[in-house]
């Protein structure tokens, strides 16, 4: 069965509570039930805006989580806390967290495990840096990141886990991967998932592309068989553009 498309907005450090509530209300109002039912739409605002992100037909995503449920970890937020707020998805291992907050593969694995234990779907980000691509190492880099992030992970249902292929050189740069470059990497990820989680599960885990997705390039990307949606940063902050991307993907679904 072809998995349901996902369009997820990663808002990063943007939009406080009031902007968030207006955005999600307008987003939900401007989409028909048919559109909202046909694909999974996620917005991932900052922690303090999460309680204000509830709107019919829109899933709430967090951008990070701590791996412990509670304890002496100043400044952190746990999976049970997110769950209590109604969070259904959580981004883990985003390249900005790896780069600016020294997040390691081990931490990403612990976070993935705690999310799955608590019934929140991790969106695990993987992707190579430009120098790794230039050296032809991208397949190995991504396979290594997957093996580390998914160590000891059990997938009960394929839609309990989402992978986002986000080449670091494409994030926030305007340098989108070509549909074929993205598809090639999604095939590497698909093969990894099928090998380690079995063909039935591995073939249905959603794999998103992320990195400078916009209203002009989404149609070409979504044409590719292994691209099951997109994780969108900058452009997801603009309601009209986010809706336009959702509609392009919904057309493909029909
Ligand atoms: C991201 O941060 O996950 C991302 C894909 O950003 P952008 O769309 O702005 O490149």
């Amino acid at each position: 069965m072809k998995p349901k498309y996902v369009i997820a907005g990663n808002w990063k450090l943007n939009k406080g509570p009031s902007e968030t509530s207006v955005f999600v209300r307008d987003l939900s109002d401007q989409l028909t039930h048919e559109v909202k039912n046909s694909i999974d739409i996620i917005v991932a605002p900052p922690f303090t805006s999460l309680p204000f992100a509830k709107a019919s037909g829109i899933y709430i995503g967090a951008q990070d989580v701590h791996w412990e449920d509670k304890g002496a970890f100043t400044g952190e937020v746990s999976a049970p806390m997110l769950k209590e707020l109604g969070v259904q998805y959580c981004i883990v291992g985003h390249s900005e967290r790896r780069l600016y907050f020294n997040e390691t593969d081990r931490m990403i694995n612990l976070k993935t495990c705690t999310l799955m234990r608590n019934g929140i779907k991790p969106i695990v980000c993987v992707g190579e840096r430009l120098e790794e691509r230039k050296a032809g190492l991208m397949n190995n880099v991504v396979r290594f990141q997957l093996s580390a992030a998914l160590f000891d992970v059990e997938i009960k249902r394929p839609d309990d886990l989402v992978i986002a292929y986000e080449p670091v050189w494409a994030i926030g740069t305007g340098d989108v991967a070509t549909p074929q470059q993205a598809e090639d990497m999604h095939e590497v990820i698909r093969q990894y998932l099928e090998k380690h989680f079995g063909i039935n599960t591995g073939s249905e885990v959603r794999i998103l592309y992320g990195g400078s997705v916009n209203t002009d390039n989404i149609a070409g990307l979504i044409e590719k068989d292994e691209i099951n949606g997109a994780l969108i940063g900058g452009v997801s902050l603009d309601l009209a553009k986010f809706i336009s991307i959702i509609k392009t993907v919904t057309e493909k679904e029909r």
Side-chain angles (χ1 to χ4, degrees):
M1 209 175 68
K2 183 115 178 96
K4 220 175 187 187
Y5 283 113
V6 177
I7 291 296
N10 174 15
W11 288 358
K12 313 188 186 195
L13 189 53
N14 295 288
K15 295 195 195 290
S18 39
E19 259 192 284
T20 296
S21 41
V22 172
F23 187 103
V24 294
R25 185 201 59 207
D26 292 350
L27 175 63
S28 181
D29 286 353
Q30 289 179 40
L31 296 173
T32 62
H33 286 297
E34 196 193 353
V35 166
K36 287 185 275 188
N37 286 336
S38 63
I39 67 170
D40 290 345
I41 301 163
I42 306 167
V43 293
F47 283 134
T48 51
S49 296
L50 288 171
F52 304 89
K54 286 195 179 85
S56 147
I58 312 296
Y59 291 105
I60 308 174
Q63 298 175 20
D64 190 26
V65 67
H66 194 266
W67 55 86
E68 294 291 344
D69 286 357
K70 58 183 175 178
F73 302 102
T74 303
E76 295 295 326
V77 172
S78 74
M81 294 169 187
L82 296 177
K83 184 81 187 164
E84 198 180 328
L85 280 184
V87 167
Q88 294 107 338
Y89 288 86
C90 181
I91 299 167
V92 251
H94 192 281
S95 60
E96 286 156 13
R97 294 215 55 87
R98 293 179 194 255
L99 181 65
Y100 303 133
F101 302 97
N102 300 323
E103 197 155 294
T104 65
D105 287 305
R106 172 76 179 137
M107 292 176 193
I108 293 161
N109 174 241
L110 292 172
K111 291 178 180 194
T112 304
C113 291
T114 189
L115 288 167
M116 294 190 83
R117 249 196 333 272
N118 284 282
I120 298 173
K121 298 173 188 197
I123 303 175
V124 177
C125 300
V126 296
E128 79 286 359
R129 289 176 289 139
L130 187 58
E131 57 272 29
E132 292 165 335
R133 173 159 284 264
K134 283 188 174 154
L137 295 174
M138 58 278 187
N139 296 5
N140 285 348
V141 167
V142 164
R143 279 194 210 104
F144 177 79
Q145 289 172 336
L146 287 169
S147 67
L150 303 179
F151 175 73
D152 252 359
V153 164
E154 257 185 67
I155 310 176
K156 294 207 179 81
R157 291 163 24 136
D159 74 347
D160 287 348
L161 174 73
V162 178
I163 306 293
Y165 168 59
E166 296 213 309
V168 179
W169 48 271
I171 296 179
T173 58
D175 267 342
V176 65
T178 65
Q180 196 52 50
Q181 281 175 324
E183 178 75 346
D184 290 346
M185 295 307 293
H186 283 223
E187 278 169 9
V188 169
I189 296 169
R190 181 69 68 208
Q191 281 162 13
Y192 182 92
L193 294 171
E194 289 180 352
K195 183 167 170 204
H196 291 86
F197 297 98
I199 197 99
N200 291 339
T201 301
S203 63
E204 288 190 22
V205 170
R206 273 104 39 106
I207 309 174
L208 314 184
Y209 169 77
S212 297
V213 171
N214 62 32
T215 50
D216 295 330
N217 58 34
I218 185 66
L221 290 161
I222 212 71
E223 274 307 308
K224 294 292 182 191
D225 284 345
E226 293 294 0
I227 299 184
N228 308 126
L231 178 56
I232 304 162
V235 171
S236 73
L237 297 169
D238 181 311
L239 181 65
K241 289 181 182 166
F242 195 52
I243 289 178
S244 162
I245 289 174
I246 290 168
K247 288 190 173 160
T248 304
V249 174
T250 316
E251 286 301 313
K252 173 76 175 31
E253 180 72 38
R254 285 203 188 114

